Amino acid sequence: MNISTEFISYPLSENAGVKYLGNNENISQLNEESIIDSFLSEGVILFRGFDTDIESFTQFSNKLSNNFMDYSGGVFNRRVINGNPTILTVNDFNNEVRLHGEMYYQKTIPQMLWFYCHQPASSDGETIICDGKRFYNALNDSLKELFRHKKLRYVSKMDKSAWIKRYKTDNLSDLKRICESNDVQLYVNEDQSIETHFICPIVHPSRSREYLVFINSLLPAKKMYPDSVTFDDGSKIDEDIMLQLNDIAEKLVVEICWEKGDILMIDNTRIMHGRRAFLDDNREIYLRLCSPSFL
């Protein structure tokens, strides 16, 4: 246990994270130094039982973050909340999303994620998390060796209406500039449909560079768009490899069973996240993409 003013942090699970439990107090009463220490140590924090709403969530995340992003280049649809393009819904659809790092299909990724539970689903819809450090350590030696030498290639094909929606521009020059800044190879067809390629590592050095982290967008990409991801040389990723990775994921995954007002703080350089499928269309989880202001 780690005492922070009158608040105590507890392990979130044996596999990842810590949680701060309140009794309807204002979340701003939490000691920032304790939060920062927990974040740097564990990579993920759940805040539960505090008096929160969208405004206090915004203020709380503003205190600890900067460089907020608007999700330009993101693959899912995100509805803007309260006219603030940095507060977005995550309910593009109701299906399962497997563990991944946010926006690891381009160079510019958010270093930190914030989630806010405005309304949990009546059942299911849990957010899932996994420590990429533990995931890497769980790989067998053969996979570790393979992933040290291989990278991933993400391929996306879009007609003009799709890339306008994704990149928030209808100007080809702007699109080329965005892709170039993200190390994304862009191929434009005569009808102005496009194909993009992005190559990136499967494992990454930790923020401290003291250990390796398995974090990428491989698991959901392979499940949802099987032909969209290969190794960097164009070779297919064997089904046996995917079975091993998904097996590790299920052994290490931590489920966040949302309660109204919960806030989740995630290090997107270390902690993967996803979600279980759900049916309740009233589920409302909000997301902010940013960087830690304390690093």
Side-chain angles (χ1 to χ4, degrees), residues 99-115:
L99 290 168
H100 62 284
E102 188 69 23
M103 302 181 78
Y104 269 74
Y105 41 78
Q106 63 176 38
K107 177 182 177 181
T108 302
I109 64 165
Q111 301 291 303
M112 175 193 283
L113 310 176
W114 291 94
F115 290 90

Side-chain angles (χ1 to χ4, degrees), residues 82-127:
N82 291 349
N84 186 337
T86 74
I87 304 177
L88 309 158
T89 66
V90 300
N91 289 3
D92 183 26
F93 51 89
N94 296 358
N95 297 342
E96 169 197 40
V97 180
R98 295 192 174 176
L99 290 168
H100 62 284
E102 188 69 23
M103 302 181 78
Y104 269 74
Y105 41 78
Q106 63 176 38
K107 177 182 177 181
T108 302
I109 64 165
Q111 301 291 303
M112 175 193 283
L113 310 176
W114 291 94
F115 290 90
Y116 172 70
C117 180
H118 183 65
Q119 179 63 48
S122 55
S123 63
D124 305 319
E126 300 89 351
T127 287

Side-chain angles (χ1 to χ4, degrees), residues 267-283:
D267 181 349
N268 193 46
T269 70
R270 171 177 171 180
I271 304 294
M272 293 186 289
H273 69 283
R275 69 140 187 260
R276 303 300 191 193
F278 62 97
L279 296 175
D280 184 0
D281 290 337
N282 292 317
R283 179 186 189 267

Side-chain angles (χ1 to χ4, degrees), residues 60-201:
F60 184 59
S61 51
N62 282 346
K63 285 201 311 179
L64 292 161
S65 317
N66 55 27
N67 300 324
F68 287 93
M69 299 171 58
D70 66 1
Y71 199 59
S72 178
V75 300
F76 298 130
N77 294 322
R78 303 288 197 211
R79 189 176 79 254
V80 170
I81 301 302
N82 291 349
N84 186 337
T86 74
I87 304 177
L88 309 158
T89 66
V90 300
N91 289 3
D92 183 26
F93 51 89
N94 296 358
N95 297 342
E96 169 197 40
V97 180
R98 295 192 174 176
L99 290 168
H100 62 284
E102 188 69 23
M103 302 181 78
Y104 269 74
Y105 41 78
Q106 63 176 38
K107 177 182 177 181
T108 302
I109 64 165
Q111 301 291 303
M112 175 193 283
L113 310 176
W114 291 94
F115 290 90
Y116 172 70
C117 180
H118 183 65
Q119 179 63 48
S122 55
S123 63
D124 305 319
E126 300 89 351
T127 287
I128 56 174
I129 58 172
C130 179
D131 188 338
K133 175 184 178 182
R134 286 179 176 267
F135 198 112
Y136 177 80
N137 290 337
L139 297 172
N140 61 39
D141 290 342
S142 176
L143 284 179
K144 287 179 179 176
E145 182 68 14
L146 178 67
F147 293 165
R148 279 196 290 266
H149 293 90
K150 293 278 193 180
K151 295 184 178 181
L152 295 175
R153 179 190 296 270
Y154 298 100
V155 177
S156 183
K157 298 178 180 180
M158 290 169 272
D159 62 25
K160 185 174 182 179
S161 62
W163 64 254
I164 288 174
K165 188 173 185 179
R166 177 164 169 176
Y167 290 101
K168 299 178 173 55
T169 181
D170 60 0
N171 186 294
L172 268 176
S173 295
D174 290 341
L175 175 64
K176 291 175 181 177
R177 194 159 44 247
I178 291 168
C179 289
E180 184 176 354
S181 68
N182 276 298
D183 291 347
V184 172
Q185 293 176 290
L186 173 67
Y187 304 92
V188 182
N189 302 312
E190 288 186 6
D191 61 357
Q192 293 196 347
S193 63
I194 66 170
E195 180 170 318
T196 63
H197 291 211
F198 178 67
I199 295 174
C200 68

